[in-house]
Amino acid sequence: MSTPRYDFTNKTALITGATGGIGREICRLFADFGANLVMLDLDPGPLAALATALGAPGRVATLAGNASAQWTIDEALSMAAARFGAVDVLVPVAGIYPESPVIETSNELWRQVMDINLDGTFRLLRSAAPLMNDGGAIVTFASVAGHRGSKNHAHYAASKAGVIALTRSLAHELGHRNIRVNAVSPGTISTPMVQALVAERGDSMLSGTPLHRFGRAEEVAQAAVFLASEGASFINGETLHVNGGLFMAG
Ligand SMILES: NC(=O)c1ccc[n+]([C@@H]2O[C@H](COP(=O)([O-])OP(=O)(O)OC[C@H]3O[C@@H](n4cnc5c(N)ncnc54)[C@H](O)[C@@H]3O)[C@@H](O)[C@H]2O)c1
């Protein structure tokens, strides 16, 4: 796949869920385009391996921790300030997708999904926005589930619908600083997150997808990096669908 080139030299991007299927492709693209990176995920081992693989010594900082915890967010922002000066691009990718029908979903599971997918995104945006350079960009992570709902994943769908509303609302609030806030909304992308779902319902999902295949993580990363780039300089409060036609927003 040919890759359009963007210049993020001297820009700093903070990415959560950095070592996941999609997150690592986003980190790879930003690193290729010259950005400094602050990468946050749960486990230090995969973070260290990814940092090495990116081959951009001096431009990568890592932090292992819970991306929805305020103290981790504060630490990541302090790290960005100390290492690189400030944050220009924020991409909260971290998310979870447990399966549970509504009538079997406990309060604890509902809260856990909300805490990571929605509250964590909110806390990061709230804390980072005052510290971001004007002219920066925020790219949040929604899902086709946030538009159409998702059988056995109501908590997840509700959290992602919340991310879309949060994204649009913040776009109103940060426009005066020329900080754009957009969402990427993936369909079914081949990553560890949806392995079980694809094994169980893959065929029926493909029959509803005009391109008749699942997406690749790098295809979602391209969309996210585009939204963060100068190429998207007048795109704000938008949701970019990356789903092969599985869902077409009206
Ligand atoms: N894969 C898909 O089909 C798909 C579809 C729609 C939306 N999405 C969204 O895209 C994003 C990335 O998904 P993915 O497919 O790469 O999933 P993934 O499971 O491969 O990666 C998710 C990453 O988030 C990290 N993470 C989870 N909870 C965390 C926490 N509390 N703190 C820090 N890190 C945490 C995980 O360790 C993992 O590295 C998610 O927000 C997901 O909801 C994915």
mmCIF file of all heavy atoms in Angstrom, residues 151-190:
data_model
loop_
_atom_site.group_PDB
_atom_site.id
_atom_site.type_symbol
_atom_site.label_atom_id
_atom_site.label_comp_id
_atom_site.label_asym_id
_atom_site.label_seq_id
_atom_site.Cartn_x
_atom_site.Cartn_y
_atom_site.Cartn_z
ATOM 1 N N LYS A 151 -24.512 -6.345 19.027
ATOM 2 C CA LYS A 151 -25.072 -7.448 19.806
ATOM 3 C C LYS A 151 -24.047 -7.976 20.810
ATOM 4 O O LYS A 151 -22.900 -8.249 20.440
ATOM 5 C CB LYS A 151 -25.490 -8.565 18.839
ATOM 6 C CG LYS A 151 -26.190 -9.716 19.489
ATOM 7 C CD LYS A 151 -26.504 -10.769 18.444
ATOM 8 C CE LYS A 151 -27.073 -12.014 19.108
ATOM 9 N NZ LYS A 151 -27.130 -13.129 18.157
ATOM 10 N N ASN A 152 -24.455 -8.104 22.043
ATOM 11 C CA ASN A 152 -23.603 -8.607 23.135
ATOM 12 C C ASN A 152 -22.456 -7.659 23.518
ATOM 13 O O ASN A 152 -21.533 -8.054 24.232
ATOM 14 C CB ASN A 152 -23.021 -9.999 22.811
ATOM 15 C CG ASN A 152 -24.106 -11.045 22.680
ATOM 16 O OD1 ASN A 152 -25.229 -10.833 23.157
ATOM 17 N ND2 ASN A 152 -23.803 -12.150 22.033
ATOM 18 N N HIS A 153 -22.516 -6.426 23.014
ATOM 19 C CA HIS A 153 -21.485 -5.434 23.368
ATOM 20 C C HIS A 153 -22.131 -4.067 23.589
ATOM 21 O O HIS A 153 -21.608 -3.049 23.131
ATOM 22 C CB HIS A 153 -20.429 -5.317 22.270
ATOM 23 C CG HIS A 153 -19.701 -6.585 21.978
ATOM 24 N ND1 HIS A 153 -20.101 -7.484 21.006
ATOM 25 C CD2 HIS A 153 -18.592 -7.138 22.551
ATOM 26 C CE1 HIS A 153 -19.269 -8.518 20.985
ATOM 27 N NE2 HIS A 153 -18.347 -8.334 21.900
ATOM 28 N N ALA A 154 -23.267 -4.039 24.289
ATOM 29 C CA ALA A 154 -23.969 -2.766 24.480
ATOM 30 C C ALA A 154 -23.109 -1.763 25.253
ATOM 31 O O ALA A 154 -23.120 -0.562 24.953
ATOM 32 C CB ALA A 154 -25.287 -3.006 25.225
ATOM 33 N N HIS A 155 -22.390 -2.255 26.249
ATOM 34 C CA HIS A 155 -21.525 -1.359 27.037
ATOM 35 C C HIS A 155 -20.482 -0.694 26.128
ATOM 36 O O HIS A 155 -20.237 0.508 26.193
ATOM 37 C CB HIS A 155 -20.853 -2.095 28.193
ATOM 38 C CG HIS A 155 -20.329 -3.466 27.858
ATOM 39 N ND1 HIS A 155 -20.133 -3.925 26.564
ATOM 40 C CD2 HIS A 155 -19.956 -4.493 28.664
ATOM 41 C CE1 HIS A 155 -19.661 -5.155 26.579
ATOM 42 N NE2 HIS A 155 -19.559 -5.534 27.857
ATOM 43 N N TYR A 156 -19.891 -1.508 25.268
ATOM 44 C CA TYR A 156 -18.875 -1.009 24.331
ATOM 45 C C TYR A 156 -19.498 -0.002 23.361
ATOM 46 O O TYR A 156 -18.962 1.092 23.145
ATOM 47 C CB TYR A 156 -18.285 -2.197 23.571
ATOM 48 C CG TYR A 156 -17.261 -1.845 22.525
ATOM 49 C CD1 TYR A 156 -15.922 -1.663 22.860
ATOM 50 C CD2 TYR A 156 -17.624 -1.707 21.185
ATOM 51 C CE1 TYR A 156 -14.978 -1.353 21.888
ATOM 52 C CE2 TYR A 156 -16.694 -1.401 20.216
ATOM 53 C CZ TYR A 156 -15.370 -1.227 20.575
ATOM 54 O OH TYR A 156 -14.446 -0.922 19.609
ATOM 55 N N ALA A 157 -20.668 -0.373 22.783
ATOM 56 C CA ALA A 157 -21.325 0.517 21.825
ATOM 57 C C ALA A 157 -21.673 1.853 22.485
ATOM 58 O O ALA A 157 -21.467 2.927 21.900
ATOM 59 C CB ALA A 157 -22.574 -0.152 21.269
ATOM 60 N N ALA A 158 -22.188 1.784 23.711
ATOM 61 C CA ALA A 158 -22.553 3.017 24.424
ATOM 62 C C ALA A 158 -21.312 3.867 24.704
ATOM 63 O O ALA A 158 -21.337 5.097 24.568
ATOM 64 C CB ALA A 158 -23.269 2.660 25.730
ATOM 65 N N SER A 159 -20.210 3.205 25.062
ATOM 66 C CA SER A 159 -18.988 3.973 25.348
ATOM 67 C C SER A 159 -18.489 4.672 24.087
ATOM 68 O O SER A 159 -18.030 5.825 24.134
ATOM 69 C CB SER A 159 -17.900 3.059 25.924
ATOM 70 O OG SER A 159 -17.353 2.184 24.939
ATOM 71 N N LYS A 160 -18.604 4.004 22.935
ATOM 72 C CA LYS A 160 -18.085 4.588 21.695
ATOM 73 C C LYS A 160 -19.007 5.694 21.173
ATOM 74 O O LYS A 160 -18.540 6.675 20.587
ATOM 75 C CB LYS A 160 -17.873 3.502 20.645
ATOM 76 C CG LYS A 160 -16.773 2.506 21.017
ATOM 77 C CD LYS A 160 -15.419 3.195 21.175
ATOM 78 C CE LYS A 160 -14.282 2.203 21.347
ATOM 79 N NZ LYS A 160 -12.954 2.849 21.418
ATOM 80 N N ALA A 161 -20.333 5.542 21.379
ATOM 81 C CA ALA A 161 -21.243 6.641 21.046
ATOM 82 C C ALA A 161 -20.896 7.856 21.908
ATOM 83 O O ALA A 161 -20.938 9.003 21.441
ATOM 84 C CB ALA A 161 -22.690 6.210 21.273
ATOM 85 N N GLY A 162 -20.527 7.595 23.159
ATOM 86 C CA GLY A 162 -20.106 8.685 24.046
ATOM 87 C C GLY A 162 -18.841 9.361 23.538
ATOM 88 O O GLY A 162 -18.713 10.588 23.611
ATOM 89 N N VAL A 163 -17.922 8.576 23.017
ATOM 90 C CA VAL A 163 -16.670 9.149 22.480
ATOM 91 C C VAL A 163 -16.988 10.092 21.315
ATOM 92 O O VAL A 163 -16.387 11.173 21.186
ATOM 93 C CB VAL A 163 -15.693 8.031 22.038
ATOM 94 C CG1 VAL A 163 -14.569 8.597 21.179
ATOM 95 C CG2 VAL A 163 -15.122 7.308 23.258
ATOM 96 N N ILE A 164 -17.949 9.699 20.477
ATOM 97 C CA ILE A 164 -18.295 10.553 19.331
ATOM 98 C C ILE A 164 -18.875 11.880 19.818
ATOM 99 O O ILE A 164 -18.490 12.961 19.334
ATOM 100 C CB ILE A 164 -19.293 9.816 18.401
ATOM 101 C CG1 ILE A 164 -18.607 8.592 17.763
ATOM 102 C CG2 ILE A 164 -19.829 10.754 17.320
ATOM 103 C CD1 ILE A 164 -19.570 7.590 17.160
ATOM 104 N N ALA A 165 -19.764 11.828 20.794
ATOM 105 C CA ALA A 165 -20.362 13.066 21.324
ATOM 106 C C ALA A 165 -19.309 13.926 22.021
ATOM 107 O O ALA A 165 -19.305 15.162 21.891
ATOM 108 C CB ALA A 165 -21.500 12.714 22.282
ATOM 109 N N LEU A 166 -18.414 13.279 22.750
ATOM 110 C CA LEU A 166 -17.314 14.005 23.408
ATOM 111 C C LEU A 166 -16.446 14.701 22.358
ATOM 112 O O LEU A 166 -16.052 15.868 22.519
ATOM 113 C CB LEU A 166 -16.491 13.002 24.230
ATOM 114 C CG LEU A 166 -15.158 13.471 24.803
ATOM 115 C CD1 LEU A 166 -15.365 14.592 25.824
ATOM 116 C CD2 LEU A 166 -14.429 12.295 25.478
ATOM 117 N N THR A 167 -16.157 13.989 21.296
ATOM 118 C CA THR A 167 -15.294 14.515 20.228
ATOM 119 C C THR A 167 -15.910 15.770 19.610
ATOM 120 O O THR A 167 -15.241 16.809 19.460
ATOM 121 C CB THR A 167 -15.112 13.428 19.146
ATOM 122 O OG1 THR A 167 -14.516 12.279 19.753
ATOM 123 C CG2 THR A 167 -14.242 13.916 18.000
ATOM 124 N N ARG A 168 -17.179 15.680 19.253
ATOM 125 C CA ARG A 168 -17.841 16.833 18.630
ATOM 126 C C ARG A 168 -17.915 18.011 19.597
ATOM 127 O O ARG A 168 -17.720 19.165 19.205
ATOM 128 C CB ARG A 168 -19.253 16.441 18.189
ATOM 129 C CG ARG A 168 -19.242 15.495 17.013
ATOM 130 C CD ARG A 168 -20.643 15.123 16.614
ATOM 131 N NE ARG A 168 -20.616 14.264 15.441
ATOM 132 C CZ ARG A 168 -21.626 13.499 15.047
ATOM 133 N NH1 ARG A 168 -22.750 13.480 15.743
ATOM 134 N NH2 ARG A 168 -21.525 12.763 13.968
ATOM 135 N N SER A 169 -18.203 17.713 20.853
ATOM 136 C CA SER A 169 -18.327 18.793 21.836
ATOM 137 C C SER A 169 -17.003 19.511 22.018
ATOM 138 O O SER A 169 -16.950 20.752 22.053
ATOM 139 C CB SER A 169 -18.804 18.218 23.177
ATOM 140 O OG SER A 169 -20.013 17.529 23.005
ATOM 141 N N LEU A 170 -15.924 18.729 22.121
ATOM 142 C CA LEU A 170 -14.614 19.356 22.322
ATOM 143 C C LEU A 170 -14.169 20.122 21.079
ATOM 144 O O LEU A 170 -13.454 21.129 21.188
ATOM 145 C CB LEU A 170 -13.585 18.280 22.711
ATOM 146 C CG LEU A 170 -12.287 18.815 23.308
ATOM 147 C CD1 LEU A 170 -12.536 19.619 24.578
ATOM 148 C CD2 LEU A 170 -11.320 17.669 23.610
ATOM 149 N N ALA A 171 -14.610 19.656 19.907
ATOM 150 C CA ALA A 171 -14.280 20.397 18.674
ATOM 151 C C ALA A 171 -14.848 21.815 18.767
ATOM 152 O O ALA A 171 -14.206 22.785 18.325
ATOM 153 C CB ALA A 171 -14.844 19.671 17.455
ATOM 154 N N HIS A 172 -16.043 21.954 19.333
ATOM 155 C CA HIS A 172 -16.609 23.299 19.541
ATOM 156 C C HIS A 172 -15.739 24.122 20.484
ATOM 157 O O HIS A 172 -15.549 25.314 20.296
ATOM 158 C CB HIS A 172 -18.009 23.187 20.160
ATOM 159 C CG HIS A 172 -19.085 22.785 19.196
ATOM 160 N ND1 HIS A 172 -19.523 23.613 18.184
ATOM 161 C CD2 HIS A 172 -19.813 21.649 19.100
ATOM 162 C CE1 HIS A 172 -20.491 22.994 17.503
ATOM 163 N NE2 HIS A 172 -20.680 21.803 18.032
ATOM 164 N N GLU A 173 -15.212 23.460 21.520
ATOM 165 C CA GLU A 173 -14.528 24.206 22.578
ATOM 166 C C GLU A 173 -13.090 24.592 22.222
ATOM 167 O O GLU A 173 -12.566 25.564 22.753
ATOM 168 C CB GLU A 173 -14.520 23.383 23.878
ATOM 169 C CG GLU A 173 -15.929 23.194 24.443
ATOM 170 C CD GLU A 173 -15.938 22.483 25.792
ATOM 171 O OE1 GLU A 173 -14.903 22.486 26.490
ATOM 172 O OE2 GLU A 173 -16.995 21.914 26.142
ATOM 173 N N LEU A 174 -12.438 23.825 21.348
ATOM 174 C CA LEU A 174 -11.014 24.074 21.093
ATOM 175 C C LEU A 174 -10.741 24.748 19.754
ATOM 176 O O LEU A 174 -9.587 25.069 19.444
ATOM 177 C CB LEU A 174 -10.227 22.755 21.173
ATOM 178 C CG LEU A 174 -10.213 22.072 22.547
ATOM 179 C CD1 LEU A 174 -9.337 20.826 22.518
ATOM 180 C CD2 LEU A 174 -9.705 23.041 23.625
ATOM 181 N N GLY A 175 -11.794 24.972 18.981
ATOM 182 C CA GLY A 175 -11.602 25.572 17.660
ATOM 183 C C GLY A 175 -10.907 26.920 17.710
ATOM 184 O O GLY A 175 -10.096 27.245 16.838
ATOM 185 N N HIS A 176 -11.159 27.701 18.744
ATOM 186 C CA HIS A 176 -10.562 29.050 18.813
ATOM 187 C C HIS A 176 -9.046 28.986 18.965
ATOM 188 O O HIS A 176 -8.355 29.976 18.727
ATOM 189 C CB HIS A 176 -11.185 29.854 19.969
ATOM 190 C CG HIS A 176 -10.796 29.349 21.326
ATOM 191 N ND1 HIS A 176 -11.323 28.209 21.881
ATOM 192 C CD2 HIS A 176 -9.904 29.827 22.227
ATOM 193 C CE1 HIS A 176 -10.784 28.016 23.073
ATOM 194 N NE2 HIS A 176 -9.918 28.980 23.301
ATOM 195 N N ARG A 177 -8.521 27.811 19.348
ATOM 196 C CA ARG A 177 -7.057 27.643 19.439
ATOM 197 C C ARG A 177 -6.513 26.894 18.214
ATOM 198 O O ARG A 177 -5.354 26.474 18.213
ATOM 199 C CB ARG A 177 -6.697 26.880 20.718
ATOM 200 C CG ARG A 177 -6.986 27.693 21.986
ATOM 201 C CD ARG A 177 -6.733 26.879 23.233
ATOM 202 N NE ARG A 177 -5.439 26.254 23.203
ATOM 203 C CZ ARG A 177 -5.088 25.194 23.944
ATOM 204 N NH1 ARG A 177 -5.970 24.649 24.763
ATOM 205 N NH2 ARG A 177 -3.881 24.705 23.864
ATOM 206 N N ASN A 178 -7.370 26.708 17.228
ATOM 207 C CA ASN A 178 -6.988 25.940 16.038
ATOM 208 C C ASN A 178 -6.537 24.524 16.400
ATOM 209 O O ASN A 178 -5.639 23.962 15.779
ATOM 210 C CB ASN A 178 -5.903 26.668 15.225
ATOM 211 C CG ASN A 178 -5.717 26.038 13.855
ATOM 212 O OD1 ASN A 178 -6.650 25.459 13.301
ATOM 213 N ND2 ASN A 178 -4.509 26.111 13.325
ATOM 214 N N ILE A 179 -7.149 23.971 17.446
ATOM 215 C CA ILE A 179 -6.950 22.552 17.750
ATOM 216 C C ILE A 179 -8.171 21.814 17.218
ATOM 217 O O ILE A 179 -9.303 22.102 17.617
ATOM 218 C CB ILE A 179 -6.794 22.307 19.272
ATOM 219 C CG1 ILE A 179 -5.506 22.976 19.773
ATOM 220 C CG2 ILE A 179 -6.776 20.798 19.572
ATOM 221 C CD1 ILE A 179 -5.288 22.874 21.272
ATOM 222 N N ARG A 180 -7.930 20.908 16.287
ATOM 223 C CA ARG A 180 -9.034 20.154 15.673
ATOM 224 C C ARG A 180 -9.246 18.846 16.434
ATOM 225 O O ARG A 180 -8.299 18.237 16.930
ATOM 226 C CB ARG A 180 -8.707 19.858 14.207
ATOM 227 C CG ARG A 180 -8.579 21.121 13.349
ATOM 228 C CD ARG A 180 -8.130 20.824 11.929
ATOM 229 N NE ARG A 180 -6.838 20.170 11.887
ATOM 230 C CZ ARG A 180 -6.640 18.883 11.696
ATOM 231 N NH1 ARG A 180 -7.658 18.065 11.493
ATOM 232 N NH2 ARG A 180 -5.413 18.378 11.693
ATOM 233 N N VAL A 181 -10.505 18.444 16.538
ATOM 234 C CA VAL A 181 -10.846 17.221 17.273
ATOM 235 C C VAL A 181 -11.741 16.365 16.388
ATOM 236 O O VAL A 181 -12.857 16.782 16.046
ATOM 237 C CB VAL A 181 -11.567 17.538 18.606
ATOM 238 C CG1 VAL A 181 -11.619 16.285 19.486
ATOM 239 C CG2 VAL A 181 -10.905 18.686 19.345
ATOM 240 N N ASN A 182 -11.245 15.222 15.988
ATOM 241 C CA ASN A 182 -11.984 14.320 15.105
ATOM 242 C C ASN A 182 -11.917 12.895 15.640
ATOM 243 O O ASN A 182 -11.074 12.571 16.487
ATOM 244 C CB ASN A 182 -11.371 14.349 13.688
ATOM 245 C CG ASN A 182 -11.565 15.689 13.002
ATOM 246 O OD1 ASN A 182 -12.677 16.044 12.640
ATOM 247 N ND2 ASN A 182 -10.476 16.448 12.851
ATOM 248 N N ALA A 183 -12.793 12.048 15.116
ATOM 249 C CA ALA A 183 -12.799 10.636 15.514
ATOM 250 C C ALA A 183 -12.555 9.748 14.298
ATOM 251 O O ALA A 183 -12.993 10.065 13.189
ATOM 252 C CB ALA A 183 -14.138 10.274 16.142
ATOM 253 N N VAL A 184 -11.889 8.630 14.534
ATOM 254 C CA VAL A 184 -11.847 7.541 13.559
ATOM 255 C C VAL A 184 -12.828 6.479 14.050
ATOM 256 O O VAL A 184 -12.857 6.161 15.239
ATOM 257 C CB VAL A 184 -10.436 6.921 13.465
ATOM 258 C CG1 VAL A 184 -10.459 5.685 12.577
ATOM 259 C CG2 VAL A 184 -9.461 7.927 12.917
ATOM 260 N N SER A 185 -13.619 5.961 13.127
ATOM 261 C CA SER A 185 -14.605 4.950 13.517
ATOM 262 C C SER A 185 -14.383 3.683 12.678
ATOM 263 O O SER A 185 -14.898 3.567 11.566
ATOM 264 C CB SER A 185 -16.018 5.505 13.316
ATOM 265 O OG SER A 185 -16.946 4.697 13.985
ATOM 266 N N PRO A 186 -13.600 2.750 13.226
ATOM 267 C CA PRO A 186 -13.297 1.546 12.436
ATOM 268 C C PRO A 186 -14.462 0.568 12.398
ATOM 269 O O PRO A 186 -15.273 0.507 13.327
ATOM 270 C CB PRO A 186 -12.113 0.916 13.184
ATOM 271 C CG PRO A 186 -11.641 1.941 14.167
ATOM 272 C CD PRO A 186 -12.821 2.798 14.475
ATOM 273 N N GLY A 187 -14.516 -0.208 11.323
ATOM 274 C CA GLY A 187 -15.390 -1.378 11.265
ATOM 275 C C GLY A 187 -14.658 -2.561 11.865
ATOM 276 O O GLY A 187 -14.036 -2.433 12.924
ATOM 277 N N THR A 188 -14.680 -3.690 11.203
ATOM 278 C CA THR A 188 -13.987 -4.861 11.748
ATOM 279 C C THR A 188 -12.573 -4.910 11.176
ATOM 280 O O THR A 188 -12.381 -5.032 9.968
ATOM 281 C CB THR A 188 -14.736 -6.152 11.393
ATOM 282 O OG1 THR A 188 -16.108 -5.966 11.727
ATOM 283 C CG2 THR A 188 -14.183 -7.323 12.174
ATOM 284 N N ILE A 189 -11.622 -4.792 12.078
ATOM 285 C CA ILE A 189 -10.210 -4.708 11.692
ATOM 286 C C ILE A 189 -9.490 -5.918 12.293
ATOM 287 O O ILE A 189 -9.696 -6.222 13.481
ATOM 288 C CB ILE A 189 -9.578 -3.399 12.244
ATOM 289 C CG1 ILE A 189 -10.460 -2.170 11.940
ATOM 290 C CG2 ILE A 189 -8.151 -3.220 11.725
ATOM 291 C CD1 ILE A 189 -10.722 -1.891 10.483
ATOM 292 N N SER A 190 -8.668 -6.566 11.517
ATOM 293 C CA SER A 190 -7.989 -7.774 12.014
ATOM 294 C C SER A 190 -6.939 -7.415 13.061
ATOM 295 O O SER A 190 -5.809 -7.069 12.723
ATOM 296 C CB SER A 190 -7.310 -8.505 10.852
ATOM 297 O OG SER A 190 -8.265 -8.876 9.908
#
